[in-house]
């Protein structure tokens, strides 16, 4: 396996370029209507949400009332070539169905400044292989230093949809590992951003250890959370 892991450090302060970008873009992404169906975010928690294509992570970054670090594609924190290929081949062609010419043009431009926005949003590199243990290590470091963890576990290989069809179980593993090392069963909040209504709904927290006691596997627990996030869509956004 080629070792192209991203060097990552605990966020300390915003990048100067991000401050300018945030000033310009915040009015377009900020959602003031954030509804909690239960308790609000505590000091340590995990937030699982719908991605809502490119816009979702930026909306959550500007709108959620908590300091958090977000899991994101490790390629987008790499060099220009890595960012360009991910944007062109994965985001625009595979997930959004663009033609190669248009995807190439958009990726060439976006790959220039995307690194600053990813760093500004405190994106933590998520890996699909054995390097995922680095993601786990970084995440627990964040939780121990005042940052909650937000992520988008939906399987978006075929694109982004209002109703999600499958959740990857990495966040369940994070919860299990944190419980094993710290003895804390982190509350996990389902959340949904509805683009048309310009609203975020945050559901009541669930706890992985409750499902573990029922004998559920990681994949089965992840499915429980997928259903919870989809239920927010059915109850508050589906027309």
């Amino acid at each position: 396996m080629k070792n192209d892991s991203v060097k990552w450090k605990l966020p300390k302060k915003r990048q100067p370029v991000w401050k300018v970008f945030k000033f310009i873009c915040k009015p377009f992404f900020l959602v003031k209507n954030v509804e909690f169906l239960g308790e609000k975010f505590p000091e340590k928690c995990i937030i699982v949400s719908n991605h809502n294509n490119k816009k979702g992570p930026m909306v959550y970054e500007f709108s959620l009332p908590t300091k958090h670090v977000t899991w994101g594609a490790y390629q987008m924190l790499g060099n220009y070539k890595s960012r360009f290929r991910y944007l062109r081949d994965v985001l625009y062609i595979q997930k959004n169905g663009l033609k190669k010419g248009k995807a190439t043009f958009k990726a060439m431009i976006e790959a220039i400044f995307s690194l600053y926005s990813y760093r500004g949003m405190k994106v933590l590199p998520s890996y699909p292989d054995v390097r995922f243990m680095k993601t786990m290590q970084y995440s627990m470091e964040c939780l121990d230093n005042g940052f909650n963890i937000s992520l988008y576990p939906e399987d978006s290989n075929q694109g982004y949809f209002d109703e999600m069809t499958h959740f990857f179980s990495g966040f369940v593993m994070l919860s299990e590992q944190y419980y094993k090392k710290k003895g804390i069963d982190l509350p996990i909040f389902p959340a949904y951003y509805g683009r048309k209504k310009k609203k975020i709904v945050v559901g009541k927290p669930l706890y992985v250890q409750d499902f573990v006691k029922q004998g559920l596997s990681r994949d089965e627990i992840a499915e429980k959370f997928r259903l919870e996030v989809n239920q927010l869509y059915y109850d508050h956004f589906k027309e």
Side-chain angles (χ1 to χ4, degrees):
M1 179 184 66
K2 184 179 178 180
N3 186 10
D4 55 350
S5 299
V6 175
K7 292 183 179 180
W8 190 87
K9 294 182 179 180
L10 191 73
K12 293 184 178 180
K13 55 185 178 181
R14 304 287 189 180
Q15 299 291 321
V17 175
W18 169 252
K19 291 182 179 180
V20 176
F21 184 83
K22 181 178 179 180
F23 177 79
I24 296 172
C25 295
K26 189 172 182 177
F28 301 98
F29 292 97
L30 176 65
V31 172
K32 296 182 179 180
N33 190 359
V34 179
E35 179 183 352
F36 285 83
L37 302 182
E39 63 188 80
K40 294 191 176 181
F41 301 128
E43 182 179 347
K44 293 183 181 182
C45 70
I46 299 172
I47 306 161
V48 293
S49 317
N50 64 318
H51 196 284
N52 209 318
N53 211 327
K54 288 174 58 180
K55 190 175 183 180
M58 196 75 72
V59 169
Y60 284 116
E61 166 65 19
F62 289 145
S63 307
L64 290 182
T66 185
K67 187 167 66 170
H68 61 283
V69 169
T70 301
W71 286 9
Y74 75 93
Q75 297 95 325
M76 290 300 294
L77 291 165
N79 56 30
Y80 177 86
K81 185 177 180 180
S82 172
R83 301 195 302 275
F84 167 74
R85 286 184 171 178
Y86 181 83
L87 286 166
R88 183 192 64 184
D89 300 336
V90 179
L91 179 64
Y92 288 127
I93 294 179
Q94 178 183 329
K95 298 186 178 185
N96 281 273
L98 296 186
K99 299 294 185 181
K100 188 172 182 179
K102 186 175 182 180
T104 299
F105 177 76
K106 290 173 69 70
M108 286 176 60
I109 303 300
E110 190 170 338
I112 296 173
F113 62 83
S114 58
L115 180 62
Y116 299 106
S117 62
Y118 266 62
R119 286 178 175 172
M121 290 169 59
K122 304 183 296 297
V123 172
L124 187 157
S126 179
Y127 298 96
D129 48 40
V130 295
R131 293 170 296 170
F132 181 67
M133 295 310 298
K134 290 182 177 291
T135 304
M136 301 287 290
Q137 174 189 337
Y138 297 150
S139 297
M140 288 191 278
E141 184 180 353
C142 289
L143 288 164
D144 289 338
N145 284 275
F147 293 93
N148 288 329
I149 300 295
S150 67
L151 49 96
Y152 315 99
E154 65 186 280
D155 183 350
S156 58
N157 287 328
Q158 303 303 316
Y160 298 103
F161 304 99
D162 291 335
E163 299 178 50
M164 284 148 285
T165 60
H166 178 258
F167 267 14
F168 295 111
S169 60
F171 69 96
V172 179
M173 183 177 178
L174 171 60
S175 175
E176 290 176 342
Q177 290 298 310
Y178 201 78
Y179 180 76
K180 181 179 179 180
K181 293 186 177 183
K182 306 290 184 176
I184 299 174
D185 189 11
L186 295 166
I188 303 182
F189 289 80
Y192 197 98
Y193 162 57
R195 182 175 61 257
K196 292 182 180 180
K197 292 189 176 183
K198 296 182 179 180
K199 177 180 179 180
I200 295 173
V201 176
V202 182
K204 297 178 181 180
L206 301 173
Y207 295 83
V208 164
Q209 289 305 308
D210 289 341
F211 296 119
V212 170
K213 292 174 183 176
Q214 297 174 26
L216 273 63
S217 67
R218 284 177 185 160
D219 288 340
E220 290 171 330
I221 296 173
E223 174 65 7
K224 290 285 187 181
F225 281 94
R226 182 190 72 86
L227 295 174
E228 287 291 328
V229 175
N230 275 349
Q231 193 63 49
L232 295 176
Y233 166 69
Y234 302 145
D235 293 343
H236 299 273
F237 300 101
K238 189 172 182 178
E239 297 178 353

